[in-house]
Each structure stands twice: as structure tokens, then as C-alpha cells.
Amino acid sequence: MPGFSRLSTTGDAPTGGPAEPAAPHPVDERLPPLRMAATGLQHVAAMYAGVVAPPLIVGAAIGLSAKDLTFLTGACLFTAGLATFLQTLGVWKIGCRLPFVNGVTFGGVAPMLAVVASTKDKHDALPVIFGAVIVAGVLGYIAAPYFSRMVRFFPPVVTGTVITLIGVSLLPVAFEWMQGPDAGAKDYGSLGNLALAGATLVIILVLRRFTSGFVKQIAVLLGMVAGTLVAIPFGATDFGPVVHADVVGFPTPFHFGAPQFGVAPIVSMCIVMLVCLTESTADMLALGEIVERPADERTIAAGLRADTLGSALSPLFNGFMCSAFAQNIGLVAMTRIRSRFVVAVGGGFLVLMGLCPMAASLIAVVPRPVLGGAGVVLFGSVAASGVQTLTKANLVKDNNVMIVAVSLAVGLIPIAAPDFYHAFPDRARIVLDSGISTGCVVAVLLNLLFHHTGRRARVGTAPAVMEPAAEIPSPRTQVGAPGGAA
């Protein structure tokens, strides 16, 4: 009978009682409450700066009052929490059900600033932006299952390259944080800021080396707390946001006005949505490798639905377009805590912060150099995961080496030469200035070129999607070996 062990073939008594339920996959594991809360808060700390930066930048460009700017920031935290719930817990065919964090995408900042610049009355800019995000989210939701079919074009040589690019592309963000919050400030890049970032990094490394268990797993969070405490005597910690923040504040729907729909803003946001779909696909593939639950076509489709539905609903509560946060993938890789419920708890903290501005301001107290020191570990862990994935691609094969070499080179252009695409139209730069997107596209196209075209593909003998191409001949096979080249 189902649920019971098989009877003995010798006629003896059953070999056992009811079968023990199989242990859940680490992704579906539920940790003790205190551990769940601490690790969930660590995810929030890792992503907080990325979530609040877009509303602060756009709000400042519009000229919002301090009160409205705080409201807009809280709304983005609130909607990031809702989008994270969709991804981690899932509803119907929505959500990848992986430890996947969603939040406001920085890719939408440039087109949103363009909308602000082109709007006569700056107070109409947010309704126009919200209308464009809604349309892009709905169209993205419709396109999600079709876009997910591209997963078969992401073998290890592609995914490893993209994961590496994700980590390397994020490292400059950490380096900027290490220098300070304001590039125009006198102390930007000062020895004091760099020393604070370095101290935070050293604390994290020491905790990772000389502790074990739960303390080792939350080393990043403890490092940021310690770094913040070290900064207090030097006046590098600002408690002003906590003092002036309200205790309770709900993101009233359409607080800034009903959405307005313009063709140009919609086109711009649809382009951003394509970029987000590409990056989210790459991120889900990366996360699937890290948590040892590979993301298949169905998982990616569900994850993209959560991305796009979260984006479509976000403007209702005055939030912006949502997408994956790659920095949290680095946290999963480093801590090896793979439970999606931990990230869901992090989403709960984001919702609470959106409802309680004072709570949200507590994370804002952490000095930017402290975040930078932690970011080196987080983002570097993503790059290391990419290198680990590339080891599965058998880089002895010359075609795979070519795919990795060219894709990495193209993906690093926005980092190595930020003004390289200055002559291109602004809409094109939305895609080109994202090294993750351009590197991903190039890797996919080169994989198609080397592995799925030509005579071998036509006769049906091309290597499988997950197989490398022809091997580089060794000296032994070239000269003197049986069957080798003459």
C-alpha cells in the first residue's frame, strides 16, 4: 500500500512501519523563527540601498518635498515586499518559488528621468511613469511564457558567463558605496571612508573564518552592525532619518494622481521590461544552479510572471517597475541558506518598512561605506559562482572559450568604458549600458552560431544544447598519434 514499506518476500512480518517522509529540499526548508528572522533581515540589508536609490533619484529630479520623497521611498519598499512574496511563495502559476528577491529595478531610472525632463509640469511626471509601467508590466506578463522558452539556449557556457558578469557588474556599485554616499562631498573616497569599508570587510571575513553555524551564516549582517557601531564615534552615522520619520504610513493608492498613458514613455518602459526579463532569466538560472534546483522552462515562466505582475501592480501603490536583485543571489551563495521562506520573511520586513517609515529608516542608518565593504563579499560571491558554473562547460573546447571570451568582453564594456555608447540613441543605451543584458545576448547568439548552425546542425549531428563544441586538438593528436592529423 502507498506509504508503507514493501512486505518481506520470505513471508515474515513487514520490514518496517509507515515510510518516513522524505526530507524537504533545502529550498523548501523552514528554519527556526529567530534564525529565519535574522537571515531574512540580512537579505533586506543587502538590497535596501538598491531599492531606495531609484525613488530618491527620481523624486529629487521632480522636486518632491521631504514628506513626499519619504512616501515614495516607503511605497517602493512596500511593493518590493509584495513582489518578493509573489516570487518566493507563489500563487497558481506565478512565482518561481526560489529564494528570489524582487525590488525596484535601477534600469528604469534613465527613462524615468527622461520622462521628468520632458514633462512641463513636473508633478505630472509620476502619473506618466506609472501609466507606462502598468502597460509594460501587462505586456510582459503576456510575453512571459514565450520568453521562458529561451531557457534551452542557456547551457553552462552561457549561464556561467552571465553569472560571472552579474557579479563583476555589481562590484563597481560596492566600490562606489565604499567611497561614501555623495560623490560631491569633501570626504568622498577619503581614507576614513575606505578604512570603515575595509574594517567591515575584515570583520565579515573573520566571522566567516573563526565562527561556525548560525553566526557564520549571518556574518554579513553582523559585519554591517559592527561597522555601523564603529562609525558612530567618528560621526559617520546619521540618525536623522529615524528622528524625523513617521511611525505609521500606508502607501495610499494613486497618491500622486491617476496614471497617464503616453506612447514614448510606454515604449521606453517596454524596452526596460525586455532588459528585466533577460536579466531575471539569467538570475533564475544562476540561482537554480546555486541552490541545486535547476530552473527549467516552467519555473522561469512562473518567475517572469511574478516579475511582470509585480511591476503591473506596483504603480497602484506608487511603486516603480520590479525586477530581480542579483546581490541577494550572492548572499545565498555565500551563506548556503537556500530556503525560500527566509527570503519571504525578508519580503515581510520590506512590507513592514513600507508601512512604518521609522522602521525603514533604521536600515538607512547604516553608512554607505559599511554597505560597500559587505558588497565586496556579496557581489564577489556571485562572480565566483559563475566561475564554478563555467567549470561544467569544459573550456578545453575552443568554441566554448570563444563564447566566454567575446561575451565577457562585450559585457564588461559599460564597466571598463562607461561612455563607449555615448553616440547611440538614449533608448538603445537602455539595453547597451547593461553589461548583463548585452553579455547575455552575445553569449546566446554565439552559442547558437557555434553549436546549432552549419553542416553538423543540418545533418542532425550537432552537439546537444548542454554539450560543448569540438575539442582543441592536443599536440599528441596532431602529430604522431594514431588517427591524429598529419
Side-chain angles (χ1 to χ4, degrees):
M1 294 179 63
F4 291 85
S5 60
R6 185 174 297 179
L7 294 175
S8 170
T9 56
T10 62
D12 296 331
T15 57
E20 294 182 3
H25 190 281
V27 169
D28 300 317
E29 183 181 6
R30 298 174 187 266
L31 306 181
L34 180 60
R35 191 178 179 190
M36 191 97 74
T39 49
L41 186 60
Q42 188 170 234
H43 275 283
V44 174
M47 71 176 295
Y48 179 84
V51 174
V52 302
L56 289 176
I57 294 171
V58 175
I62 294 173
L64 295 180
S65 64
K67 184 177 181 179
D68 279 342
L69 193 58
T70 301
F71 181 93
L72 183 63
T73 302
C76 287
L77 288 168
F78 179 78
T79 54
L82 296 182
T84 300
F85 281 153
L86 280 176
Q87 282 289 16
T88 54
L89 303 180
V91 178
W92 185 56
K93 296 182 179 181
I94 301 169
C96 63
R97 293 170 174 82
L98 292 172
F100 202 57
V101 177
N102 269 40
V104 180
T105 174
F106 206 87
V109 171
M112 287 191 290
L113 291 177
V115 171
V116 173
S118 63
T119 306
K120 292 182 180 180
D121 186 352
K122 301 302 181 186
H123 294 287
D124 288 336
L126 283 176
V128 172
I129 290 171
F130 292 151
V133 172
I134 290 173
V135 174
V138 171
L139 293 178
Y141 185 87
I142 296 172
Y146 304 100
F147 197 91
S148 67
R149 294 175 184 173
M150 291 181 62
V151 67
R152 67 191 185 92
F153 300 118
F154 287 81
V157 69
V158 174
T159 56
T161 301
V162 175
I163 297 168
T164 304
L165 276 174
I166 290 172
V168 174
S169 297
L170 287 170
L171 281 172
V173 177
F175 300 150
E176 290 178 7
W177 289 349
M178 293 173 73
Q179 298 177 78
D182 185 5
K186 293 181 179 180
D187 65 343
Y188 185 75
S190 66
L191 291 178
N193 285 343
L194 297 181
L196 183 57
T200 303
L201 176 59
V202 169
I203 291 170
I204 294 172
L205 294 176
V206 168
L207 289 172
R208 291 287 299 177
R209 173 62 182 85
F210 295 105
T211 63
S212 60
F214 181 55
V215 174
K216 182 176 182 178
Q217 291 173 331
I218 62 169
V220 173
L221 179 61
L222 294 177
M224 286 191 288
V225 171
T228 302
L229 295 176
V230 170
I232 292 177
F234 300 97
T237 306
D238 181 15
F239 290 94
V242 179
V243 175
H244 300 291
D246 294 330
V247 177
V248 179
F250 183 79
T252 311
F254 300 128
H255 174 81
F256 297 99
Q260 301 177 23
F261 303 94
V263 175
I266 288 174
V267 171
S268 296
M269 284 300 168
C270 285
I271 294 174
V272 174
M273 178 58 72
L274 288 175
V275 174
C276 290
L277 292 176
T278 303
E279 292 189 356
S280 290
T281 298
D283 287 344
M284 275 184 273
L285 290 167
L287 187 58
E289 290 288 332
I290 291 170
V291 302
E292 297 177 354
R293 179 181 279 182
D296 56 14
E297 182 179 320
R298 183 177 179 181
T299 300
I300 291 175
L304 295 181
R305 287 192 187 99
D307 260 8
T308 53
L309 180 61
S311 295
L313 296 178
S314 184
L316 173 65
F317 299 102
N318 312 283
F320 297 143
M321 186 177 292
C322 295
S323 184
F325 265 61
Q327 51 263 56
N328 294 83
I329 297 176
L331 191 57
V332 173
M334 192 195 72
T335 64
R336 302 303 297 167
I337 296 178
R338 296 174 278 180
S339 171
R340 60 191 174 100
F341 298 106
V342 165
V343 176
V345 169
F349 280 123
L350 290 171
V351 170
L352 290 177
M353 288 178 176
L355 298 176
C356 178
M358 182 173 288
S361 65
L362 289 174
I363 299 294
V365 169
V366 180
R368 197 63 59 85
V370 172
L371 287 175
V376 170
V377 176
L378 297 178
F379 307 156
S381 296
V382 178
S385 297
V387 174
Q388 186 177 21
T389 302
L390 282 174
T391 61
K392 303 176 183 178
N394 194 356
L395 295 184
V396 175
K397 312 263 175 138
D398 59 343
N399 288 345
N400 284 353
V401 171
M402 192 63 61
I403 293 172
V404 175
V406 176
S407 301
L408 284 177
V410 173
L412 290 175
I413 287 175
I415 300 173
D419 297 326
F420 187 83
Y421 298 112
H422 72 277
F424 285 75
D426 290 340
R427 290 175 182 173
R429 292 191 62 179
I430 294 173
V431 178
L432 296 175
D433 283 341
S434 171
I436 298 172
S437 298
T438 53
C440 180
V441 170
V442 170
V444 170
L445 292 179
L446 290 180
N447 179 61
L448 289 173
L449 174 65
F450 285 112
H451 294 174
H452 300 276
T453 59
R455 182 179 62 83
R456 293 178 65 193
R458 287 195 299 271
V459 299
T461 58
V465 174
M466 299 300 291
E467 293 177 356
E471 185 173 334
I472 299 174
S474 66
R476 292 184 178 182
T477 58
Q478 287 180 334
V479 181

